[in-house]
Structure formats: C-alpha cells, structure tokens
Amino acid sequence: MANKNLKVQKKTLGVLKIEGEFKKNTIPDIDIGDSIKISILIQEGARERVQIAEGVVISKNNGQIDRTITIRKVLQNVGVERVYLIKSPRIKNIEIIKSASVRRAKLYYLRLRSGKATRLKQKFD
C-alpha cells in the first residue's frame, strides 16, 4: 500500500513539474457571461499573424493545465462557438470587455435566442 502511494506521489510531482513549464500568470479572472477579446497567433504558411476573436463566454471547464472556455459570437446571422485552451502558447492576450451578472454555470440557452433576447444583464464592479 505504501509503495503504491509513493508511485502516485512521484507521478503527481512529474505532472506538476511539466505543468509549471506552461503556466501563464497573465490570465485574467474570466467568469461565465463575460464579453472578452482573445488575441490568437495564427500561422499562415511561413508567416504568423495575430487574429482577434471576440464573444461571450458561455461555458468554462476548470482544470490545471487544460482549462478551456467556450466563446459564442454571431457572424452574418449564424452563431459560431469555439473552444479555446486558455494556457495555450498560441493565445497572446485575453482582455475582458464587460462582465455580466448570470445565475447559471453554462449559458447554452443563448443558442436558442437571437437579437435582443441574447443580451445579458451587465455587472458593475
């Protein structure tokens, strides 16, 4: 039993060491309902450029190194959702535009709404 616990401790120390290499300290506190701008590094052939994605955070999955958020935006009357890995080296900057006061952990109900019905109540700090 003690030998098994020692193996688990060694494994978690190894995982923590690897995660420490990819740790980012510049990530703001993102909540569900926040409108955010994400600057993403896009590679096109031999050159790289920064593309900005903007939208509302409808879900968040908290993990250690694999923390993700789902962003929803409407482009040309079509809803687009994309999942971003927060600690990815491809993400250069995350900026919170405004925060919303929501009472749910996932805002999947926004998929069924359009226009003014998708507005969220703004949170003032």
Side-chain angles (χ1 to χ4, degrees), residues 3-39:
N3 191 18
K4 187 176 182 181
N5 288 337
L6 186 62
K7 285 182 181 179
V8 171
Q9 286 178 349
K10 283 184 180 179
K11 184 177 180 181
T12 56
L13 287 176
V15 170
L16 291 174
K17 184 178 176 184
I18 293 171
E19 287 179 356
E21 296 174 14
F22 295 101
K23 190 171 186 175
K24 282 188 177 181
N25 295 329
T26 59
I27 300 171
D29 226 8
I30 300 170
D31 290 325
I32 305 297
D34 288 352
S35 294
I36 64 172
K37 273 187 186 178
I38 300 181
S39 301

Side-chain angles (χ1 to χ4, degrees), residues 72-119:
R72 179 174 175 80
K73 60 183 173 181
V74 177
L75 294 172
Q76 299 176 355
N77 293 330
V78 177
V80 177
E81 292 182 8
R82 188 157 176 209
V83 178
Y84 293 101
L85 189 64
I86 293 294
K87 302 206 177 181
S88 169
R90 291 275 171 202
I91 293 183
K92 294 298 173 192
N93 187 21
I94 298 176
E95 178 186 345
I96 297 176
I97 300 169
K98 63 182 178 180
S99 297
S101 176
V102 294
R103 299 174 77 176
R104 294 182 182 220
K106 311 284 187 200
L107 301 181
Y108 295 144
Y109 67 90
L110 291 178
R111 295 173 177 165
L112 304 175
R113 298 184 181 187
S114 63
K116 286 187 175 183
T118 60
R119 291 182 297 178

